Amino acid sequence: MSDVESFFILFAIGAIAAVISLVIIAIAHPIARHMPKAPVIEFLPPPGDIITHGLAVRADRRVVTAVIMQLAVAGKIRVLAPRGTHGPVAIEALPGTGLSADDHFFLQALRPRKMNKRRTRRYLAALREIGISVTRIEDAPDITFLRGRGAFRGFQQRSLAEHLDRARTRAKTAGLARRFSGSVHLYLLSLLFLVSTIATLLFALGAVLNGVTWGALGALVGIAAMFWVLALAPPPIMRFTPEGHALRVRLSGLRDYMRLAEQDRMRVLQSPQGALRTPAGALTPGGQALGLRPAPTAGDPVAQSELDRFVLIERLLPYAVLFRQEREWQRELEHLGGTVEFSQNMRVLGSTLEGLMAILQVLSAIGQVLRAVGAVFSLFART
């Protein structure tokens, strides 16, 4: 077998598995996105926090962006961007604005509070890039980076996944969601991934032993294709109790109202390109209308920097993100929600692998028992 033939055989194994996986995903996505029909229009969000509402509408990928938008609209954080660029790079927590315990936990999931020397150097360098020069981490403002070298992606992925896991547990404890999630599609994808990976690696090993060097490359391409497919799959689908279903109906009514009356206006006035921007140390338009004076900013490094603040005032903006009615903010912060969703899928992959190992151990034990029984029968037959 030639190098080219070996490469295409291995690539075909991965491609066939990827196509089957895409079919599974095409079936799972409509189920995950389905919302019940609301009999009436809802003008205000139902009681509860934005994370619970995001999980109720199965918007796992968008819930992180929605929480950031809600904190910004409530005036608890500033969403910052360098002047001349359209997208956010960081958020600044504002003391004395009534941050709740859940708000603190969420912000702590975006940035490690205890940093080693390497992380400290990265963070201080990122501050200098946006015009804030400090020499010690203790003198730095409470800024959390959403992109760039100051964003600690690995830490954010792990911490945000844990934060949302706790929110799911609270929803189950409150009687909104059932104990077990619908993860059939992920188990099928995981099984397909594991089987195709084992087959591809065995074939690649045989090709390499026979001197066909392209075999390893084909195996890597096939495995990478399957990882890409797993990243596209929806996370475990939450199953809801009657109380959770009632909450989903009210959120569906709110979605209908926003789609009819608010979607276009919000997209124009509150998107990253359309929202009003002021210097980070300036008053809000509301403060200016009240005739307030700006507070002294001599000791505020953020106010002295070349940063702008997005002025976000629409209370329903977080829900526009959840309902896929405001996609520009989601595109700006897609990496935050995407890594959390991928982490959930990888967790199911790990549990599937553990299940396969347990099945193999059981089959091995059954084989040993059968061999022992066969040995006993053989002994009696000889006598």
Side-chain angles (χ1 to χ4, degrees):
M1 183 182 299
S2 66
D3 285 2
V4 176
E5 291 174 339
S6 175
F7 174 82
F8 277 109
I9 289 175
L10 289 168
F11 180 77
I13 294 174
I16 292 171
V19 169
I20 297 174
S21 299
L22 289 174
V23 172
I24 296 174
I25 291 173
I27 297 172
H29 265 301
I31 297 173
R33 293 179 180 178
H34 174 72
M35 287 283 288
K37 292 292 184 181
V40 296
I41 293 292
E42 295 280 346
F43 299 98
L44 295 174
D49 59 273
I50 189 69
I51 294 183
T52 301
H53 293 168
L55 296 177
V57 300
R58 296 174 179 149
D60 298 53
R61 184 179 288 266
R62 301 181 296 280
V63 70
V64 175
T65 304
V67 175
I68 292 174
M69 294 297 99
Q70 186 187 55
L71 292 174
V73 170
K76 297 180 180 181
I77 65 171
R78 293 171 175 171
V79 180
L80 305 172
R83 294 172 191 173
T85 61
H86 68 278
V89 297
I91 58 176
E92 179 194 10
L94 301 177
T97 54
L99 286 168
S100 66
D102 285 340
D103 297 336
H104 281 292
F105 285 134
F106 175 78
L107 293 175
Q108 289 172 4
L110 293 174
R111 192 189 87 197
R113 299 300 162 180
K114 294 182 179 179
M115 299 191 190
N116 54 31
K117 292 182 178 179
R118 178 175 173 274
R119 283 180 169 177
T120 299
R121 287 195 299 269
R122 283 179 54 189
Y123 184 72
L124 294 178
L127 287 176
R128 286 193 294 271
E129 289 178 356
I130 60 174
I132 301 175
S133 297
V134 291
T135 57
R136 300 188 312 158
I137 195 73
E138 294 80 9
D139 300 329
D142 193 2
I143 282 184
T144 298
F145 286 92
L146 305 177
R147 61 178 74 251
R149 73 167 73 185
F152 305 102
R153 295 290 184 85
F155 174 85
Q156 290 175 349
Q157 176 181 345
R158 294 189 300 272
S159 301
L160 287 172
E162 293 173 359
H163 189 72
L164 292 187
D165 283 342
R166 288 192 291 269
R168 289 187 189 88
T169 301
R170 289 198 302 270
K172 295 173 183 177
T173 303
L176 297 175
R178 301 189 186 278
R179 182 178 178 184
F180 298 104
S181 300
S183 304
V184 176
H185 66 291
L186 288 177
Y187 288 122
L188 291 175
L189 291 173
S190 300
L191 284 172
L192 190 59
F193 172 79
L194 293 172
V195 170
S196 61
T197 299
I198 293 172
T200 301
L201 291 177
L202 290 176
F203 197 95
L205 179 61
V208 171
L209 292 177
N210 289 325
V212 182
T213 56
W214 279 28
L217 179 60
L220 291 176
V221 172
I223 294 173
M226 286 299 298
F227 263 110
W228 172 73
V229 169
L230 281 173
L232 297 178
I237 300 173
M238 291 186 69
R239 299 170 60 244
F240 298 96
T241 62
E243 292 81 3
H245 180 75
L247 174 63
R248 283 167 55 80
V249 170
R250 295 192 62 181
L251 289 168
S252 179
L254 179 64
R255 181 189 62 175
D256 293 341
Y257 161 69
M258 293 182 61
R259 182 170 54 209
L260 293 172
E262 300 286 346
Q263 182 173 348
D264 292 337
R265 184 179 66 85
M266 204 167 295
R267 183 172 60 246
V268 173
L269 299 179
Q270 294 281 269
S271 67
Q273 287 77 28
L276 176 65
R277 289 169 62 158
T278 65
L283 287 174
T284 64
Q288 294 173 358
L290 293 173
L292 301 179
R293 294 182 178 181
T297 58
D300 185 353
V302 179
Q304 300 296 323
S305 66
E306 293 295 317
L307 289 173
D308 282 347
R309 174 180 62 88
F310 288 96
V311 180
L312 303 176
I313 58 175
E314 294 286 350
R315 291 180 57 194
L316 294 179
L317 178 60
Y319 291 90
V321 173
L322 289 182
F323 300 146
R324 307 170 67 88
Q325 295 168 348
E326 211 310 307
R327 301 195 180 190
E328 293 186 36
W329 281 112
Q330 178 56 26
R331 281 195 293 268
E332 291 289 346
L333 305 175
E334 179 73 24
H335 58 281
L336 293 174
T339 54
V340 173
E341 196 170 271
F342 186 66
S343 176
Q344 294 173 297
N345 294 357
M346 289 299 101
R347 194 179 303 128
V348 175
L349 174 62
S351 64
T352 304
L353 179 59
E354 292 176 358
L356 284 177
M357 296 301 295
I359 292 173
L360 291 175
Q361 290 176 355
V362 171
L363 292 177
S364 176
I366 292 174
Q368 292 176 359
V369 171
L370 292 176
R371 283 196 297 271
V373 172
V376 171
F377 276 109
S378 176
L379 179 63
F380 278 109
R382 291 176 183 176
T383 58

